[in-house]
Amino acid sequence: MSDLMLHDIPEDELELIKAEADAQQKTVQDYLLERVHELAVGAKRRRKLEEITAQLKTMPPSAYTVEDVLDAKDAPRRGLA
């Protein structure tokens, strides 16, 4: 793992971070590590969605409607499949 050092954190914000860590019964380091992980996971998901969106934009439109898909999904229940 890599180290990360933060400087120039306003005192009032640091106090809020400490209070949040205490409320979750965590050290400030553990609390911030968890938050950094959440940010990284969110960024990874956003990038993947952007990639999928770009791929979808290159594909031709579908000839199927939403109703077609729902009808096909429900066909076995209605005894049509």
Side-chain angles (χ1 to χ4, degrees), residues 40-68:
V41 168
K44 185 177 181 180
R45 288 178 180 161
R46 278 188 300 281
R47 288 183 177 174
K48 187 63 177 175
L49 285 173
E50 289 169 1
E51 179 184 315
I52 291 169
T53 300
Q55 289 175 348
L56 288 173
K57 287 181 180 180
T58 66
M59 298 173 69
S62 174
Y64 297 104
T65 66
V66 171
E67 290 78 18
D68 294 334

Side-chain angles (χ1 to χ4, degrees), residues 67-78:
E67 290 78 18
D68 294 334
V69 174
L70 293 175
D71 286 344
K73 178 183 93 49
D74 294 336
R77 189 178 63 200
R78 293 189 318 240

Side-chain angles (χ1 to χ4, degrees), residues 13-62:
E13 291 178 11
L14 183 57
E15 290 305 316
L16 289 170
I17 291 168
K18 287 178 180 179
E20 192 64 26
D22 285 344
Q24 295 184 24
Q25 298 179 342
K26 296 179 182 178
T27 64
V28 171
Q29 180 174 334
D30 287 342
Y31 172 76
L32 289 175
L33 183 60
E34 185 176 285
R35 296 297 310 207
V36 167
H37 175 72
E38 290 169 1
L39 288 170
V41 168
K44 185 177 181 180
R45 288 178 180 161
R46 278 188 300 281
R47 288 183 177 174
K48 187 63 177 175
L49 285 173
E50 289 169 1
E51 179 184 315
I52 291 169
T53 300
Q55 289 175 348
L56 288 173
K57 287 181 180 180
T58 66
M59 298 173 69
S62 174

